Amino acid sequence: MVVIENLLAPQEVARFREVLLSLPWADGKGTAMGMAADVKNNHQADPANPGVQQLANQLLARMGETPRLVSAALPHRIFPPVFNRYGETEEYGWHVDGAIMRIPGSAEVLRSDMSMTLFLNEPDEYAGGELVIATEFGEQRVKLAAGSAVVYPSSSLHKVTAVTAGQRIAAITWMQSMVADGAMRQTLFELDQSIQTLLRQGQVDRAELDRLHHIYHNLIRQCAAV
Ligand code: NI
């Protein structure tokens, strides 16, 4: 589970919200697959709306140019971001995201390896509405600042607890990673983060840093499918 702080700047969050709040919202059950529909109780912005598509494209571009996110997910394909809203009493019970998703308007499919939730409200603007992710170390409860995102394995059981006051607006998307194996993906992320830290500290021998960098890229060559 990786947190990406300030994926969107405050002015961008404000604009996203302004656009989204001016649009009609549809029942989220329409897009839940199989059993997930039974536990899904929220609203979703119309993905065919040009304003929504523009926001989705802006977010996709930002994701691609955010090194920490790219390093964590090593995305090969990204599902066009979906915007949802939870009003009072709305929630999404325990579920696992569908493994194979058809990309709307195309013949392509993607395998969901990593899921992302981008928060578009400040935590104090609503009560409840936590993203709860079941991990091998217990439940992780996530409620981030507006503009920040969490990336987590799509294979994990997760839920959004009921909003009890205010409303919660978020963007969600799924990524097929170039590295299918989650443990390998995590190891590569840790290696890259370590290299970036050493680079920032600037006290490491350059040749050793280059060697680590080569190792990282050669590992990617060995286990990435593109
Ligand atoms: Ni989900």
Side-chain angles (χ1 to χ4, degrees):
M1 209 180 86
V2 176
V3 171
I4 316 287
E5 281 172 3
N6 303 311
L7 181 61
L8 290 185
Q11 318 85 278
E12 293 172 316
V13 170
R15 211 185 79 76
F16 270 59
R17 284 168 52 156
E18 190 188 340
V19 172
L20 290 168
L21 291 174
S22 71
L23 299 170
W25 294 79
D27 189 339
K29 277 193 200 302
T31 51
M33 276 179 278
M35 298 194 313
D38 298 341
V39 292
K40 188 176 186 185
N41 176 21
N42 67 4
H43 285 80
Q44 196 167 296
D46 177 7
N49 182 290
V52 173
Q53 286 177 348
Q54 202 183 13
L55 297 183
N57 287 335
Q58 191 182 335
L59 181 52
L60 275 178
R62 178 58 51 81
M63 290 170 73
E65 60 200 24
T66 303
R68 185 173 162 81
L69 195 156
V70 172
S71 177
L74 295 166
H76 179 40
R77 292 200 175 105
I78 307 179
F79 193 92
V82 172
F83 297 91
N84 58 34
R85 189 194 77 191
Y86 293 78
E88 272 179 45
T89 75
E90 292 185 330
E91 64 185 321
Y92 196 165
W94 286 112
H95 67 280
V96 172
D97 295 337
I100 302 293
M101 301 181 171
R102 181 167 297 279
I103 297 178
S106 89
E108 292 202 52
V109 294
L110 66 73
R111 180 192 63 232
S112 62
D113 293 317
M114 297 288 261
S115 302
M116 186 184 90
T117 296
L118 165 68
F119 292 78
L120 291 169
N121 288 105
E122 295 298 347
D124 62 4
E125 290 180 280
Y126 58 100
E130 291 174 304
L131 172 64
V132 184
I133 303 165
T135 76
E136 56 182 310
F137 306 112
E139 289 179 5
Q140 302 279 322
R141 307 179 82 86
V142 188
K143 190 169 177 176
L144 301 174
S148 293
V150 61
V151 176
Y152 60 98
S154 302
S155 56
S156 54
L157 206 56
H158 56 275
K159 68 174 177 180
V160 176
T161 65
V163 168
T164 55
Q167 64 175 348
R168 173 197 196 266
I169 297 173
I172 52 169
T173 186
W174 300 268
M175 292 168 269
Q176 176 172 333
S177 179
M178 291 183 279
V179 176
D181 183 78
M184 177 55 85
R185 199 161 57 232
Q186 193 179 337
T187 302
L188 285 166
F189 175 64
E190 282 164 19
L191 175 58
D192 184 46
Q193 292 303 294
S194 176
I195 293 170
Q196 300 307 322
T197 302
L198 292 173
L199 201 56
R200 274 197 300 275
Q201 287 174 348
Q203 293 159 347
V204 183
D205 181 55
R206 184 69 211 197
E208 284 305 313
L209 208 49
D210 283 345
R211 191 149 78 154
L212 280 175
H213 211 229
H214 281 148
I215 292 168
Y216 174 75
H217 283 280
N218 286 334
L219 285 171
I220 297 265
R221 273 188 194 90
Q222 275 180 35
C223 53
V226 290

